[in-house]
Amino acid sequence: MFITFVSSREKIILELLISEQEDVKIKDLSKKLDVSSRTIQRDLTSLEQTLNAFQLKLIRKSGVGVQIIGEEMSKQHLLKQLRSVTHRDYTLEERLVLIICILYEMSEPVKLFALASELRVSTATVSADIEKLEQQLKPVQLTILKKRGYGIELGGSENAKRRAISYVLSKNVKEEDLLSLIKESEEDSLTMESDIVSKRLLQLVDKQKLVIIKQMIKEHFPQLVQSMTDHAYVELIVHLTLAMDRIMRGESMEENEVNVDQMNDDPQFNTAIKIVEKLKECFNIAIPQSEVSYLLMHLQGSKLRKQNISVIARTNVELSRQVKLLIEKMEQLTDVSLATNHSLFEGLVTHLKPAIHRIEQNMGIINPLVNEVQANYPELFEQVEEAVNTVYPTLAFPKEEISYLVMHFGAVLIEVMRKEGLKAYVICASGIGTSKLLASRLLHDIPEISAVFNVSSFELNSLAKTITERDLIISTIELKELSQDYMLVTPFLTNNVMEQIRLYARRKMLVPKLYEAPSANKMLVDKVTLKMENLQHYTSVIVTILKNFTVY
């Protein structure tokens, strides 16, 4: 067995316990390492997996101390491995995450010396890191309080602290690790090779509480589990586990931290109440009403696998109006008809309902594909961003959320334009056989391409008026005099090159086609049709209100 990583403090703890033949008190370890007893307890939990790998066991005796038991040969083998471990330095981003983890856990100020020791850097480096972290925490209404002679601590509301740590967890821990934590929560789900920061973040989630909560939700709220996406379900379990840990440490949500007035009418309010009642039974603790409201905020921001669009549209007229305005704006920017696409409307309503809630509550949004979307569809990204800023001028949509909307619009635009297909002009200097092979491969493997024309480099000038911005030009030779963009490839297309051509074709699909201007009569009919559709929608809402209207 080989050790891939232990922190310098964990290494000292192991060496001390192995050298002692008797129980060592937690407070003695805490005093020696200048950290809290809670930190020592957390380190011991982390080290149990390492000890198990060497057939050693950590025995904890309440009020007495801790001791490592096992064969002496195994202990010496572990010591030998510890001496051979080389410690790598944390990056700046890793240090910032670790600092916020430590401050989140501690209910008392932490000394700079203790932070520097844990991060294996100087106190001057820690001070510089804290200044950078302060800037990052400002948008989520958190501060770092500095108390001379005592240390530093996290300042801000309990609401802000929980939102911040949930966001950090989602951003830094891989989706598969979170899923693994839920599925195999009774055992250590991460291997020794797992990312250091991920392991540290997941130590914030008490596994015993997580198991209890997972079983409770699964047993008493099966419909809720089935309705949620995997990601939303994992977020719910982690959210409740963190909340229970904070409440049991006396860190409850204040009543003024949540907007209770708008909660009672929400259809998920009763679900939130029932979940909290079950949590009271499971942990035998008192939970304030503010925690019900905070849980409801989380449920409102959760994505569901399937939602009743007609119910959402009827109960949230303003959201439906906003989605229609967003679609209209995108029609203007792309010159593609989108108003009659009901699946686009339904998809946007379903997506934006929880998304807007998360933005309003500053809950943070994670999108692992944001960089890829922005790189592959830059023009569409700008168009969606402009449309969103027009419809929602008071909301700050992050680029992660813009990217999700690009996916919605991109899928529809590609589908609309695919029916018309793309033309590809192939220039190949290797001969007719190679040109035909290249053309055949493009038609077979790139569904967006409906026609391929083999032309010579000399013919391009005469075809300049025929070739549009939506056409692909693929050449095996460099075309220095060509003003239009083209893709330079080898005569025999590799899988990697084919993937680049696919992306090239998808970007071309989103270039607006120059349609003939519609006639005045057609424009009038379209305008009247749109007004009638809006009228039909509003009258449907009015009828629903009247049917449920009662006079007392």
Side-chain angles (χ1 to χ4, degrees):
M1 176 65 192
F2 295 95
I3 300 175
T4 55
F5 173 80
V6 288
S7 70
S8 55
R9 190 176 61 238
E10 288 172 341
K11 181 180 177 182
I12 294 170
I13 291 172
L14 285 173
E15 289 173 341
L16 283 170
L17 292 178
I18 290 173
S19 64
E20 292 290 335
Q21 299 299 318
E22 298 180 355
D23 296 293
V24 179
K25 292 181 179 179
I26 298 292
K27 68 177 183 180
D28 290 340
L29 288 172
S30 171
K31 188 175 181 181
K32 189 171 186 66
L33 293 165
D34 194 26
V35 293
S36 69
S37 296
R38 181 178 174 81
T39 299
I40 296 295
Q41 292 280 15
R42 189 190 67 231
D43 288 342
L44 290 172
T45 300
S46 176
L47 287 171
E48 284 183 300
Q49 185 181 10
T50 301
L51 291 168
N52 290 339
F54 285 86
Q55 288 76 52
L56 297 171
K57 197 169 183 65
L58 183 72
I59 302 298
R60 306 181 196 226
K61 297 177 185 176
S62 181
V64 179
V66 293
Q67 185 181 11
I68 293 175
I69 61 169
E71 296 289 335
E72 185 63 29
M73 188 180 293
S74 297
K75 292 181 181 180
Q76 294 306 316
H77 185 205
L78 174 56
L79 282 174
K80 186 179 178 181
Q81 287 290 315
L82 286 172
R83 295 187 187 108
S84 66
V85 172
T86 55
H87 297 296
R88 76 166 178 82
D89 293 332
Y90 296 118
T91 65
L92 170 62
E93 289 304 317
E94 287 174 338
R95 292 200 305 272
L96 296 182
V97 171
L98 292 172
I99 290 171
I100 196 171
C101 283
I102 295 166
L103 296 181
Y104 174 79
E105 280 188 311
M106 303 304 293
S107 54
E108 56 190 27
V110 182
K111 292 182 178 178
L112 288 182
F113 172 78
L115 277 175
S117 175
E118 177 149 355
L119 299 173
R120 302 193 295 276
V121 293
S122 66
T123 53
T125 300
V126 170
S127 295
D129 290 347
I130 287 167
E131 288 182 13
K132 292 183 177 70
L133 185 59
E134 283 182 296
Q135 296 303 314
Q136 291 188 7
L137 293 176
K138 276 184 180 179
V140 291
Q141 288 82 52
L142 285 177
T143 58
I144 293 179
L145 305 176
K146 301 168 186 175
K147 299 183 178 180
R148 187 177 294 275
Y150 289 92
I152 61 169
E153 62 182 339
L154 205 58
S157 68
E158 179 65 17
N159 187 343
K161 290 177 184 177
R162 291 194 202 173
R163 282 191 282 109
I165 207 66
S166 296
Y167 179 77
V168 171
L169 262 167
S170 299
K171 186 176 181 181
N172 292 279
V173 179
K174 294 177 183 176
E175 187 83 15
E176 54 266 32
D177 281 343
L178 282 171
L179 284 168
S180 180
L181 182 72
I182 301 296
K183 291 177 181 177
E184 305 169 25
S185 51
E186 295 178 4
E187 301 176 1
D188 284 319
S189 59
L190 294 178
T191 63
M192 290 295 293
E193 290 76 19
S194 295
D195 179 72
I196 297 166
V197 173
S198 295
K199 288 182 68 176
R200 180 63 185 82
L201 279 165
L202 288 174
Q203 287 175 13
L204 298 176
V205 184
D206 187 301
K207 292 185 181 179
Q208 290 182 332
K209 292 186 183 74
L210 187 141
V211 171
I212 295 169
I213 291 168
K214 183 184 76 170
Q215 289 301 119
M216 181 272 289
I217 294 291
K218 188 177 179 181
E219 182 179 345
H220 296 284
F221 303 92
Q223 290 182 332
L224 182 65
V225 176
Q226 292 168 9
S227 67
M228 284 183 158
T229 62
D230 288 346
H231 182 77
Y233 172 64
V234 170
E235 279 193 333
L236 173 65
I237 301 299
V238 171
H239 163 91
L240 292 174
T241 305
L242 291 173
M244 286 302 99
D245 188 58
R246 298 290 287 179
I247 292 167
M248 293 171 82
R249 287 167 53 191
E251 303 288 354
S252 294
M253 199 76 64
E254 296 293 333
E255 289 292 344
N256 61 359
E257 292 186 50
V258 288
N259 189 353
V260 181
D261 296 336
Q262 298 177 3
M263 300 290 185
N264 295 343
D265 296 331
D266 193 284
Q268 292 177 304
F269 186 64
N270 287 332
T271 303
I273 291 175
K274 290 175 183 176
I275 290 175
V276 170
E277 289 300 320
K278 288 295 177 185
L279 289 172
K280 287 180 183 178
E281 294 176 17
C282 290
F283 295 97
N284 194 27
I285 57 171
I287 300 177
Q289 175 68 24
S290 57
E291 294 291 343
V292 177
S293 304
Y294 185 68
L295 172 57
L296 178 58
M297 282 167 51
H298 183 87
L299 292 174
Q300 289 171 331
S302 297
K303 288 185 179 181
L304 303 181
R305 293 183 190 277
K306 198 173 182 180
Q307 291 185 328
N308 190 327
I309 305 301
S310 60
V311 170
I312 295 175
R314 287 200 302 269
T315 56
N316 199 328
V317 179
E318 181 59 19
L319 176 62
S320 298
R321 187 188 70 82
Q322 291 166 352
V323 170
K324 287 191 174 183
L325 288 175
L326 189 63
I327 292 173
E328 286 176 15
K329 183 63 180 176
M330 285 301 294
E331 278 188 325
Q332 297 171 13
L333 294 171
T334 62
D335 287 328
V336 177
S337 177
L338 301 169
T340 57
N341 193 306
H342 296 296
S343 63
L344 175 62
F345 173 79
E346 292 176 356
L348 289 173
V349 168
T350 305
H351 176 83
L352 282 170
K353 186 176 185 290
I356 290 173
H357 174 78
R358 294 180 75 88
I359 293 169
E360 289 175 336
Q361 299 300 328
N362 201 20
M363 293 171 74
I365 295 167
I366 302 296
N367 184 348
L369 299 175
V370 58
N371 292 331
E372 188 177 340
V373 170
Q374 210 167 352
N376 291 326
Y377 306 104
E379 187 177 353
L380 183 59
F381 189 95
E382 290 179 7
Q383 290 170 337
V384 171
E385 192 169 33
E386 182 181 339
V388 165
N389 290 336
T390 302
V391 178
Y392 299 99
T394 60
L395 283 182
F397 273 67
K399 64 179 181 179
E400 289 83 0
E401 184 53 45
I402 298 292
S403 296
Y404 276 126
L405 296 176
V406 168
M407 293 180 195
H408 280 275
F409 282 106
V412 174
L413 286 168
I414 288 174
E415 192 60 37
V416 169
M417 295 179 175
R418 182 173 288 172
K419 295 174 183 177
E420 300 159 2
L422 296 173
K423 289 184 289 185
Y425 292 86
V426 175
I427 298 93
C428 184
S430 302
I432 296 173
T434 309
S435 299
K436 286 187 175 180
L437 180 64
L438 214 159
S440 176
R441 182 89 189 272
L442 291 173
L443 282 170
H444 183 267
D445 290 356
I446 312 292
E448 289 85 356
I449 297 175
S450 60
V452 177
F453 303 94
N454 289 306
V455 297
S456 71
S457 57
F458 303 104
E459 293 178 279
L460 279 178
N461 291 332
S462 60
L463 291 171
K465 294 182 179 179
T466 309
I467 298 175
T468 70
E469 287 186 18
R470 294 190 72 244
D471 296 330
L472 285 76
I473 302 175
I474 300 169
S475 177
T476 61
I477 57 174
E478 192 173 350
L479 306 171
K480 294 182 179 179
E481 296 180 3
L482 186 67
S483 59
Q484 290 141 305
D485 68 317
Y486 71 98
M487 188 167 187
L488 185 63
V489 300
T490 57
F492 297 96
L493 304 176
T494 63
N495 289 334
N496 184 42
V497 172
M498 285 301 294
E499 185 58 35
Q500 292 177 30
I501 296 174
R502 280 191 195 92
L503 295 174
Y504 179 41
R506 287 172 188 171
R507 285 195 293 270
K508 288 291 184 180
M509 290 295 288
L510 298 174
V511 175
K513 184 178 178 181
L514 298 176
Y515 294 100
E516 291 183 6
S519 65
N521 289 334
K522 178 68 168 61
M523 290 177 66
L524 179 61
V525 170
D526 288 344
K527 193 173 181 180
V528 172
T529 303
L530 183 61
K531 284 188 176 182
M532 291 299 104
E533 285 178 347
N534 288 336
L535 185 60
Q536 183 184 27
H537 173 71
Y538 291 128
T539 52
S540 172
V541 174
I542 291 167
V543 169
T544 303
I545 293 171
L546 290 173
K547 283 184 177 180
N548 294 280
F549 192 83
T550 307
V551 178
Y552 293 95

